[in-house]
Amino acid sequence: MRQFTAVVNPTAGGATAAAALLRVARPLREAGAGLETEYSRSLDHARDIARRAGARGRVVLAVGGDGMAGGIGGALSGTGTPLGLVPAGRGNDFARALGLPADPAGLAAVLLRAEPRPVDTIEVTSAVHDRTVVLGSVYAGVDALANHHANRSRLLRGTASYYAGALRAVTTWRTTRYRVTVDGEEHAFAGYTVVAANSGYYGSDRHIAPAARVDDGLLEVVMIHHAPRRLFFALMNELGTGAHVNRPQVRVVRGRRVRIEADRPIPYGADGEVEAAVPVTARILPGALRVLY
């Protein structure tokens, strides 16, 4: 029977993470699985806990949001340690991309019975981050600025904080000139953002890259070009269905290595946590992580 170490982010939605784990813990233990719980003080601490648990041959459960999943998944990338997710954050976008059940019993069944499957991870390199590994996507532009505002929101939580952050970011955004190099091919344009996506979802259920797959060894690179602000808001509304990719202002290419540069130090983010300024390089690591789903 599997032996699990759950790494809990106690700040993900207040007590949400601990409550989510409690709901899954009962069916796991009733099935005879071993379960120990560790509470992290920071994302770096969570990574250390995960590596130590993996070295003891345990399955690591990331309990929290996309930042927690990306941080722990990145720490386990290339180690062979299986990862399980207990979604308990605002977005839970990587769990959504994997199609994980929302109900505790269904999720417990996956954690108990599913065979670990290889998924791709993303290596991120910039002046601030030396080959940091994440799971979902790297994005540079108005969305990174929106996420910055959402993470610092004290009045709003969940999806509402993303929408408020996006509104603030878009209304203050200055058109940026990008140079994006995908597997050696350069794309220059003026616009709002570039997203190098492993997972199709980001920003709390926004289907930014509908064709992205977590196990195909490629990044889906979505480039949103300049458009009148009114049109851009309409485009944002289409992110829920992925229909935005049909607009002429959106270009999508695929590749293994993406470098994003701009004419000013705009922010980039990754999995809702990493925040710094471009230039940044994202490189796919095919099948580097084993995940239960």
Side-chain angles (χ1 to χ4, degrees):
M1 187 57 65
R2 283 175 175 158
Q3 302 296 305
F4 297 95
T5 295
V7 187
V8 181
N9 177 4
T11 65
T16 304
L21 178 61
L22 283 174
R23 290 191 291 270
V24 176
R26 182 174 179 178
L28 291 179
R29 288 179 170 136
E30 286 177 346
L35 176 63
E36 62 183 26
T37 304
E38 297 272 4
Y39 289 92
S40 64
R41 297 186 298 271
S42 66
L43 199 54
D44 283 340
H45 185 220
R47 294 184 180 104
D48 289 340
I49 295 170
R51 292 188 189 101
R52 290 197 301 269
R56 292 191 289 126
R58 302 182 72 87
V59 177
V60 178
L61 300 182
V63 187
D66 287 303
M68 192 69 160
I72 291 179
L76 299 180
S77 177
T79 68
T81 298
L83 173 69
L85 301 182
V86 180
R90 289 180 302 186
N92 304 319
D93 290 311
F94 198 75
R96 183 175 291 106
L98 297 179
L100 289 176
D103 64 292
L107 180 58
V110 169
L111 297 175
L112 288 165
R113 302 186 185 96
E115 289 300 316
R117 296 160 61 181
V119 305
D120 307 333
T121 59
I122 308 172
E123 181 186 83
V124 184
T125 304
S126 70
V128 175
H129 298 100
D130 181 18
R131 299 172 67 183
T132 298
V133 179
V134 298
L135 298 185
S137 61
V138 177
Y139 42 92
V142 70
D143 39 12
L145 185 59
N147 192 70
H148 172 85
H149 294 323
N151 283 343
R152 283 152 183 76
S153 174
R154 296 185 180 278
L155 298 177
L156 299 173
R157 292 292 183 265
T159 302
S161 68
Y162 283 110
Y163 278 110
L167 180 62
R168 181 179 174 187
V170 172
T171 54
T172 59
W173 184 254
R174 291 188 292 116
T175 300
T176 299
R177 297 206 64 83
Y178 286 92
R179 185 167 67 251
V180 182
T181 307
V182 182
D183 292 348
E185 182 178 350
E186 187 174 297
H187 306 267
F189 66 97
Y192 284 94
T193 192
V194 178
V195 183
N198 182 33
S199 162
Y201 295 92
Y202 84 155
S204 187
D205 200 23
R206 291 181 172 92
H207 208 181
I208 184 65
R213 299 292 178 267
V214 298
D215 59 357
D216 63 358
L218 293 169
L219 291 166
E220 200 84 1
V221 186
V222 181
M223 296 171 277
I224 301 182
H225 293 208
H226 177 71
R229 199 158 288 169
R230 172 186 52 79
L231 181 59
F232 183 75
F233 278 115
L235 188 151
M236 284 182 61
N237 288 333
E238 295 173 348
L239 290 177
T241 63
H244 63 287
V245 298
N246 297 316
R247 287 190 177 269
Q249 294 82 12
V250 179
R251 185 174 186 191
V252 183
V253 299
R254 309 181 85 195
R256 294 175 174 82
R257 186 181 186 275
V258 182
R259 181 164 177 81
I260 305 171
E261 301 170 277
D263 63 350
R264 60 190 178 94
I266 62 169
Y268 77 83
D271 287 357
E273 292 294 328
V274 178
E275 294 185 0
V278 298
V280 60
T281 299
R283 182 172 71 94
I284 200 74
L285 303 177
L289 180 65
R290 299 168 66 217
V291 180
L292 301 173
Y293 71 102

